[in-house]
Amino acid sequence: MNDAKYIGLDVHQATISATVLDSTGKLVMESIDALLLLHQQARRELLAESRKHNTTQLLRQIPSIGPIRAALLLALIQTPHRFRTKRQLWSYSGLALETRNSGEYRIVHGQLKRSKKVVAIRGLNKNHNHDLKNIFKGAAIRAAAVAGPFQEFYAALVAKGMKPAMARLTLARKIAAITLIVWKKGVHFDAAHLKQRAA
């Protein structure tokens, strides 16, 4: 008798759970639909605002920098004159290599001498703008996959024996450097920028 009683409770609890899940599922789906509408509206407003600036058209000429990336670059960087060199932009974007050196100097025969130890590379800098890093890394991933001058540059790096991850980092740094050149000087994108030593 007790088993039948518990089985009846389990069935009843399962029915209650199913109705609760149905109503919860409906609420979740309604929330997702509302968020999708907000996302589309925010995207339209972002693109409308970015069209007001001439810089957007210059940035969009760079392969793998589309309308959204151009608008985000414009919003995040605001002015290219914040960065005197491409290395400053790399550092701000999280694309700069971080090196550490301990024991740079040592005492030899009572004289202070510079140590000949190789500087250790510790990876990319941690203090950076994460959104900007995502923009340049995303652009590099796209550029490496789509036919064009950046894909040729990426393929040449891999052909030289560079690991694909390092080649994508180099490509992201190259895209950042070209973005700075195009935006700062107000010039159009030229594939000759790839030939300059920028990474």
Side-chain angles (χ1 to χ4, degrees), residues 55-67 69-70 73 136 139 143 149-150 174-183 187-190 193:
T55 305
T56 307
Q57 293 304 318
L58 281 174
L59 293 176
R60 287 198 53 201
Q61 293 174 358
I62 301 170
S64 76
I65 302 288
R69 284 193 181 112
L73 283 169
F136 288 127
F150 285 137
K174 179 68 82 171
I175 291 170
I178 290 172
T179 299
L180 190 62
I181 291 170
V182 167
W183 192 353
V187 297
H188 295 283
F189 171 76
D190 185 8
H193 291 304

Side-chain angles (χ1 to χ4, degrees), residues 90-91 93-98 121 123-125 133 136-141 144 153-154 157-158 162-177 198-199:
W90 291 346
S91 180
S93 303
L95 302 173
L97 295 177
E98 198 165 278
I121 296 174
L124 300 178
N125 61 318
K133 184 175 185 176
F136 288 127
K137 282 181 70 178
I141 290 168
F153 179 77
Y154 173 78
L157 292 174
V158 173
M162 189 180 281
K163 292 179 184 175
M166 286 302 294
R168 280 192 302 275
L169 172 63
T170 303
L171 183 57
R173 293 172 74 169
K174 179 68 82 171
I175 291 170

Side-chain angles (χ1 to χ4, degrees), residues 72-140:
L72 289 172
L73 283 169
L74 191 63
L76 293 171
I77 295 178
Q78 296 175 355
T79 176
H81 301 290
R82 299 168 57 179
F83 308 104
R84 223 171 15 94
T85 65
K86 63 188 174 197
R87 293 185 194 287
Q88 289 177 337
L89 176 60
W90 291 346
S91 180
Y92 184 72
S93 303
L95 302 173
L97 295 177
E98 198 165 278
T99 58
R100 298 271 162 78
N101 193 359
S102 86
E104 187 174 352
Y105 293 95
R106 59 188 184 153
I107 298 176
V108 178
H109 303 300
Q111 295 290 322
L112 193 61
K113 299 278 184 179
R114 191 175 189 119
S115 177
K116 294 183 181 174
K117 283 169 110 178
V118 178
V119 176
I121 296 174
R122 299 292 181 199
L124 300 178
N125 61 318
K126 303 274 187 256
N127 54 338
H128 61 275
N129 185 316
H130 297 278
D131 295 327
L132 208 51
K133 184 175 185 176
N134 289 337
I135 289 170
F136 288 127
K137 282 181 70 178

